[in-house]
Amino acid sequence: MTWHRPSLAEAFAITAVPVAQDTNSERFISHYPPWKLGTELPIPPPAFGAFGGTVYGQAALAAARAHEKRVSIESDKDARMGIFSIQGVFTRPAIQDRPFVHDVTPIQNGRSFAAYLTSTRQSTQPSSIPKGPFSVSDANLPLNEPCFTCITTMGRPRESQVSFQQPVSAQQMYHSILSQRAPDQWDSCPQLDLEPTVQLFPNAGHGAFPILDMYKVDMTEFNKDKPYTDRRELLFYRPHKPIAQDDPNAHITAHAYASDRNGLLMLANHVGFARSFKKAATLSYSFYVHSNASEAVMDDKGWWLLEFRWTRADAERCIMETKIWSPDGKHIASGYQDGVLSAHDTTKVKL
């Protein structure tokens, strides 16, 4: 089956809606449901919800759009503020049958640096068009408590007085593996990366996953017998439909979207939770862009590389670090995710 795979312009489509005149906030509403893990598999799993990368990227993009509304950029487009960081907290599961309503409030709006708070909520009832496109009028429905909140920082581009990164890029570090085949010759990124599901539906394709083509490098031999902290997973990606080249903040939100893909599930595979899987959920996620926003712009030729590692796990929580490498080996961004990961206790037998 051929699935419709939305572009970023569709998946992250948001429209400004009126707010009370005495408020300092801007309000935006989304128009399309977030992608849900495993929905396009022959036997969709029942226990998984909407992909958290959608609200994460969308809320940050809403902050960027709010800033653009507040300042004039037409005479100095190259100086448009680029996203520096996204620091988000997830508080409720997202629901597919209703839009996100993003309320964006300025914290700081200076000439060279800005910060915005985005509080994202969903209505207490489904949309009248539950599969979308959602109507702007849905913003008038009663809203629930926030499902996501983030602070997005932005700044103007700067000349580098000093620039350094780790001396060996991921492309160099794993060259013997990556050189075995072209990026798009690896299996497509699993729609639900838990070993039993992948074994049941191997290389099931992208499904309806929006925005990006993503492929998973086989790191089985590299990870064999290594401590969990030394294991790595790698994903190649690039836009599957063009993203406007003059909108670097849209590209940054696409990178943030990619960096949330299957990370906690891949750790579940490593620690042996896949067959007794109970729960994986992001609590908080911080994403940092290390360069000027223009360096995050993607085209339809170069393949970007995500490098995942997990440095600590305890008390049903884990920390995941993600590095984003440009096609030419520059370390462009990093993500740090605090999440919950648990399995059913298989030692307990019910009589």
Side-chain angles (χ1 to χ4, degrees):
M1 178 182 291
T2 301
W3 299 95
H4 171 62
R5 300 182 59 211
S7 65
L8 183 137
E10 181 179 338
F12 282 8
I14 53 176
T15 297
V17 296
V19 293
Q21 292 185 350
D22 60 350
T23 182
N24 196 31
S25 298
E26 303 283 350
R27 174 169 285 189
F28 298 85
I29 186 171
S30 67
H31 291 289
Y32 293 94
W35 181 75
K36 185 177 179 180
L37 281 72
T39 300
E40 296 86 43
L41 293 174
I43 306 175
F48 290 88
F51 178 49
T54 305
V55 69
Y56 192 88
Q58 219 178 77
L61 189 61
R65 297 296 185 247
H67 180 74
E68 291 164 12
K69 287 185 65 177
R70 288 175 175 268
V71 298
S72 173
I73 60 172
E74 292 303 321
S75 61
D76 191 13
K77 281 213 170 190
D78 289 340
R80 173 184 294 186
M81 284 197 183
I83 293 173
F84 280 3
S85 69
I86 310 165
Q87 299 170 65
V89 178
F90 295 82
T91 48
R92 297 176 68 92
I95 306 173
Q96 277 194 304
D97 62 7
R98 61 205 70 183
F100 294 118
V101 178
H102 306 284
D103 288 314
V104 184
T105 306
I107 300 172
Q108 161 71 14
N109 191 6
R111 296 185 62 183
S112 61
F113 179 80
Y116 287 81
L117 173 68
T118 304
S119 179
T120 301
R121 296 180 288 172
Q122 292 185 290
S123 61
T124 57
Q125 63 192 68
S127 169
S128 59
I129 313 173
K131 294 186 177 180
F134 303 126
S135 169
V136 170
S137 63
D138 284 340
N140 299 321
L141 295 173
L143 296 175
N144 218 323
E145 294 299 314
C147 61
F148 179 75
T149 304
C150 73
I151 293 174
T152 304
T153 64
M154 290 169 273
R156 292 186 178 275
R158 293 170 168 82
E159 295 292 331
S160 296
Q161 294 183 320
V162 61
S163 178
F164 62 88
Q165 65 179 45
Q166 67 184 57
V168 180
S169 70
Q171 287 92 335
Q172 295 168 316
M173 178 75 71
Y174 310 109
H175 175 74
S176 62
I177 300 171
L178 300 181
S179 62
Q180 293 176 16
R181 62 187 76 177
D184 59 356
Q185 295 303 304
W186 298 98
D187 286 352
S188 55
C189 187
Q191 296 174 39
L192 179 65
D193 199 346
L194 287 174
E195 285 177 352
T197 304
V198 175
Q199 291 169 2
L200 187 61
F201 307 114
N203 201 18
H206 301 291
F209 187 76
I211 303 176
L212 303 163
D213 287 335
M214 301 188 73
Y215 295 89
K216 184 181 180 183
V217 177
D218 186 353
M219 299 292 285
T220 304
E221 287 302 313
F222 177 88
N223 289 325
K224 187 177 181 180
D225 298 327
K226 282 186 170 63
Y228 298 135
T229 54
D230 291 342
R231 299 186 189 189
R232 300 291 187 271
E233 294 290 356
L234 303 176
L235 302 180
F236 278 113
Y237 69 98
R238 68 183 182 191
H240 83 91
K241 293 180 181 177
I243 301 172
Q245 295 290 292
D246 62 350
D247 191 0
N249 283 330
H251 288 258
I252 289 171
T253 61
H255 289 297
Y257 186 78
S259 70
D260 195 34
R261 186 84 190 270
N262 283 336
L264 298 179
L265 300 183
M266 290 189 288
L267 179 57
N269 292 329
H270 285 299
V271 300
F273 283 6
R275 296 187 184 278
S276 56
F277 179 83
K278 181 179 180 181
K279 184 178 183 180
T282 303
L283 299 174
S284 62
Y285 189 26
S286 295
F287 185 83
Y288 299 94
V289 181
H290 307 306
S291 61
N292 286 328
S294 59
E295 294 200 49
V297 172
M298 298 176 277
D299 57 29
D300 61 353
K301 298 180 177 62
W303 287 98
W304 292 67
L305 188 64
L306 273 168
E307 179 186 11
F308 294 85
R309 71 169 183 166
W310 303 268
T311 55
R312 184 74 169 102
D314 192 33
E316 292 193 356
R317 288 174 50 228
C318 58
I319 187 74
M320 181 178 77
E321 177 183 346
T322 308
K323 292 182 180 179
I324 289 180
W325 298 89
S326 71
D328 59 355
K330 285 186 179 179
H331 180 192
I332 298 297
S334 299
Y336 301 91
Q337 183 172 144
D338 179 31
V340 171
L341 183 66
S342 63
H344 293 285
D345 187 351
T346 57
T347 63
K348 294 181 179 179
V349 179
K350 292 184 179 181
L351 301 178

